[in-house]
Amino acid sequence: MIGNGKRRAAALALAATLTPTAAAQAAPVAPASAVASDPVRALDRIAHPLRSAEPGTGTADLRALGVMVGDAKVVGVGEATHGSHEFFALKDRVFRYLVERKGFTTFALEISWSAGLRIDDYLQRGDGDRTARQVVHEVMAGSPWDREEFATLIQWMRDHNLQHPDRPVHFLGDDIGAPRIDEPVFDSVTDYVRRTRPESMPRLNELLTGLRPLDDAIAYLERPLAQRQQNAAKAKQVLDLVRGQRSAGGEDFEFVLQNARNIAQTYTFLSADLGDQASLTAMQRYRDQVMAETTAWWQRRTGGKVLLSAHNDHAGYAASDPTLYPKTQGSFLRDTLGVDYLAIGTTFERGSFLSKDQALGGEWKKFTVGPAGPGTNECTLDQVRYRDYYADLRKAPAAARSWLGLSRPTYSVGTQYPNDRTTEVAIGVAYDVLVHLHTVREAKEL
């Protein structure tokens, strides 16, 4: 068994995956003298009013956003909290617009690869009499996205596919496989090898012994470090074995290879030394790298465009706590895709959200914050003439660029609130486009 200190480290490390973004505290207050008027006037010049965050409310006010998106192949849309209605609803609204006007085909989310496959299977084939609400609840139970807002999104995607079978939309889980890897992921690997290279089955079964199934990552982390590292090595050998079957070909090879890759990635992630902060930090960097690689792989494989949904700390180019997230998914995607990746961040001035008082375990509770204090990003952003708006930060006037380039306190809330971290970000460094909302309210639990 691991002791209390290590158990806490494990909770902090795994919180980002089991309920995917580690939490952050409310923005602290800076002196009033830190607020300047010049950035407000400069931001006024590039701000476009956002009439509503709700899907189904027209698209006229999103036209300028479409211009900002341009020809980007992957658009990351962040959320300042993991539990506010407006952020979830806004992503639904923007995704519908991008599907209908810009040819987007995939909604990607920081849930496990296997969970994403289950949702996408529902979108493509349906699932008997089960409703979108039932599917979301079964697949996302315990996560920030077990919410009415995501059931609404999945229902729209399912209806779209029924109405437009010639141009279906897909759902992608781009995250590592914890807290579990579903059996179909393993079955895909074993079935392919059995069909194409049956002589390799004894070796594959030997490697999978002790790996399959993975039902509870928290319990798995109770195992000795040496055993977890040995299993990670075995999982990598499974991936190598599947890579060696490439000559067997078949339309499903790349998909099978991705399943094997997910198995190896998950066991690598779970091989961290929970008593070593450097190992935990490296694990978080690895997780963002994996999410970026999975998203880029999917985009190349399908040839379609992707809306990537994640916390601000993953969608942007810089996190509010770089000691926790030293390199973000957005930064990795920019390295891979260049201008074909666009990062959209979100902020809010006051409001409520759902979070937990413990990183793991605990219950989702409503918390309320604001108004944001002087010296915070939000205090200045909220002085722009529109209540809710978005702006292309790449076109900011000089007065705004200077202000946007400095790091200052900001609201950044994940799956634990409050905690003792200081969260600061330079808006203009972290995002290409910013959406600012005056107020938000808690998401609706299923």
Side-chain angles (χ1 to χ4, degrees), residues 103-417:
F104 277 58
T105 58
T106 298
F107 188 98
L109 180 65
E110 52 178 317
I111 62 171
S112 71
W113 164 255
S114 57
L117 293 179
R118 292 171 64 188
I119 294 176
D120 193 58
D121 184 69
Y122 172 76
L123 296 180
Q124 308 312 317
R125 284 168 283 278
D127 194 356
D129 295 328
R130 288 202 303 165
T131 65
R133 294 181 77 256
Q134 290 172 315
V135 171
V136 168
H137 186 56
E138 290 173 11
V139 175
M140 297 183 175
S143 81
W145 306 290
D146 184 19
R147 307 287 179 251
E148 290 285 356
E149 291 84 356
F150 270 87
T152 299
L153 168 65
I154 299 305
Q155 185 62 61
W156 180 86
M157 295 176 73
R158 176 62 181 153
D159 291 343
H160 172 92
N161 286 355
L162 290 173
Q163 297 165 14
H164 305 284
D166 56 324
R167 47 187 181 95
V169 292
H170 293 270
F171 192 97
L172 169 66
D174 71 353
D175 213 340
I176 290 172
R180 71 177 187 179
I181 303 175
D182 287 340
E183 283 298 309
V185 173
F186 289 103
D187 290 342
S188 164
V189 173
T190 56
D191 290 350
Y192 180 83
V193 174
R194 184 181 296 110
R195 186 174 71 251
T196 60
R197 293 285 193 274
E199 66 275 13
S200 299
M201 281 303 298
R203 177 55 176 162
L204 179 61
N205 287 331
E206 179 185 356
L207 291 172
L208 288 176
T209 300
L211 302 183
R212 176 180 188 172
L214 177 62
D215 292 327
D216 188 339
I218 301 174
Y220 179 80
L221 282 168
E222 298 277 355
R223 300 185 186 184
L225 175 62
Q227 181 184 9
R228 290 186 283 114
Q229 291 176 335
Q230 182 181 34
N231 282 344
K234 290 170 61 177
K236 290 177 183 177
Q237 292 178 64
V238 170
L239 176 58
D240 290 339
L241 187 151
V242 174
R243 281 198 183 109
Q245 314 296 310
R246 185 180 297 274
S247 61
E251 294 183 0
D252 57 345
F253 173 75
E254 290 298 331
F255 181 75
V256 173
L257 182 61
Q258 170 59 24
N259 283 328
R261 189 179 295 120
N262 180 253
I263 295 170
Q265 291 165 340
T266 299
Y267 278 99
T268 297
F269 180 76
L270 295 177
S271 68
D273 182 351
L274 304 181
D276 181 359
Q277 183 57 51
S279 179
L280 296 177
T281 299
M283 176 176 66
Q284 296 295 5
R285 185 183 191 278
Y286 178 70
R287 179 192 170 216
D288 273 82
Q289 178 182 344
V290 166
M291 290 193 292
E293 289 176 349
T294 301
T295 300
W297 172 84
W298 178 273
Q299 193 283 318
R300 290 193 305 269
R301 182 174 184 268
T302 64
K305 298 179 180 180
V306 180
L307 184 149
L308 170 66
S309 172
H311 192 277
N312 279 342
D313 280 348
H314 297 297
Y317 304 123
S320 61
D321 185 354
T323 60
L324 185 63
Y325 301 113
K327 183 165 182 174
T328 66
Q329 178 181 197
S331 182
F332 280 113
L333 282 169
R334 181 171 57 181
D335 290 346
T336 302
L337 300 176
V339 295
D340 285 333
Y341 180 71
L342 182 83
I344 301 177
T346 59
T347 55
F348 70 105
E349 198 267 346
R350 66 184 73 187
S352 58
F353 49 84
L354 298 178
S355 191
K356 295 183 177 184
D357 55 9
Q358 301 176 45
L360 296 177
E363 297 180 356
W364 292 97
K365 301 177 181 179
K366 176 182 175 180
F367 296 89
T368 301
V369 297
T376 64
N377 280 317
E378 293 82 359
C379 182
T380 298
L381 292 169
D382 209 59
Q383 297 176 52
V384 172
R385 56 179 167 163
Y386 301 119
R387 176 182 174 88
D388 299 327
Y389 63 92
Y390 58 92
D392 190 339
L393 306 182
R394 299 166 298 181
K395 297 183 177 180
R401 285 200 304 273
S402 177
W403 183 86
L404 291 166
L406 295 179
S407 183
R408 54 180 58 81
T410 198
Y411 283 134
S412 182
V413 181
T415 52
Q416 183 186 0
Y417 184 86

Side-chain angles (χ1 to χ4, degrees), residues 22-86:
Q25 66 182 19
V29 175
S33 59
V35 180
S37 59
D38 285 347
V40 176
R41 290 195 294 268
L43 290 169
D44 272 338
R45 294 165 54 187
I46 61 171
H48 297 267
L50 180 71
R51 302 303 182 193
S52 175
E54 302 302 319
T57 53
T59 61
D61 60 324
L62 295 180
R63 290 173 186 165
L65 183 63
V67 174
M68 296 174 194
V69 168
D71 296 325
K73 295 178 180 177
V74 179
V75 174
V77 183
E79 57 202 34
T81 82
H82 263 334
S84 294
H85 167 81
E86 283 74 11

